[in-house]
Amino acid sequence: MRNKIMLLATVIALICNGCSIDDDGANFHFTALEIVDAEVPESFDLNETYQISVNYLKPDSCTYYEGFDVIKDSLTVRSVVAIGSVRTDFDDCTEELIQETASFNFQVIYSDPYTFKFYTGDNSEGEAQYMEIVVPVNKP
């Protein structure tokens, strides 16, 4: 039993010391990408899963799409942000807006209408702006 405890303590120590969350020397950072359009169904059916397609902009050739952050603001309100990573170790980035499309699956679990707030960028005061789309849920 004592050997198992020592082994477990050693493994935990290695895990805790083996990874550092210190970002000194990191060659990238994460950023929110502007969403220009989203394709959602006109209505949802309860307990079904839907694919939602999103068109977003990459500002340059050093920015890469990483995924979506879908935040539950309230019961049926979701904020959707496209996440990108920006390489900081390249000097020859081509500065041009590149539009791309990605999608995520969304499962309908409530019968109230869903409101999606897609991040479209910041205004001149630095406040986040959103495109809102409301999707009703069909009653069975």
Side-chain angles (χ1 to χ4, degrees), residues 14-117:
L14 287 173
I15 289 171
C16 291
N17 290 326
C19 297
S20 172
I21 58 172
D22 196 13
D23 67 351
D24 289 340
N27 61 355
F28 71 95
H29 66 272
F30 292 108
T31 188
L33 303 174
E34 295 179 19
I35 294 175
V36 294
D37 191 19
E39 185 179 320
V40 298
E42 288 185 23
S43 65
F44 288 143
D45 289 327
L46 189 61
N47 298 319
E48 294 294 323
T49 300
Y50 295 87
Q51 187 175 60
I52 296 177
S53 295
V54 177
N55 295 317
Y56 60 90
L57 295 176
K58 295 189 324 180
D60 55 47
S61 62
C62 290
T63 301
Y64 301 91
Y65 167 76
E66 295 295 335
F68 290 103
D69 191 8
V70 181
I71 302 159
K72 182 178 179 179
D73 294 334
S74 67
L75 189 65
T76 58
V77 177
R78 303 294 185 271
S79 293
V80 180
V81 180
I83 304 297
S85 61
V86 181
R87 294 284 306 261
T88 57
D89 57 345
F90 290 151
D91 291 332
D92 59 345
C93 297
T94 305
E95 300 230 2
E96 64 177 305
L97 289 177
I98 303 163
Q99 183 171 315
E100 292 186 353
T101 302
S103 61
F104 63 93
N105 289 329
F106 183 77
Q107 185 177 16
V108 179
I109 59 174
Y110 300 109
S111 58
D112 293 338
Y114 281 86
T115 300
F116 292 92
K117 295 169 34 179

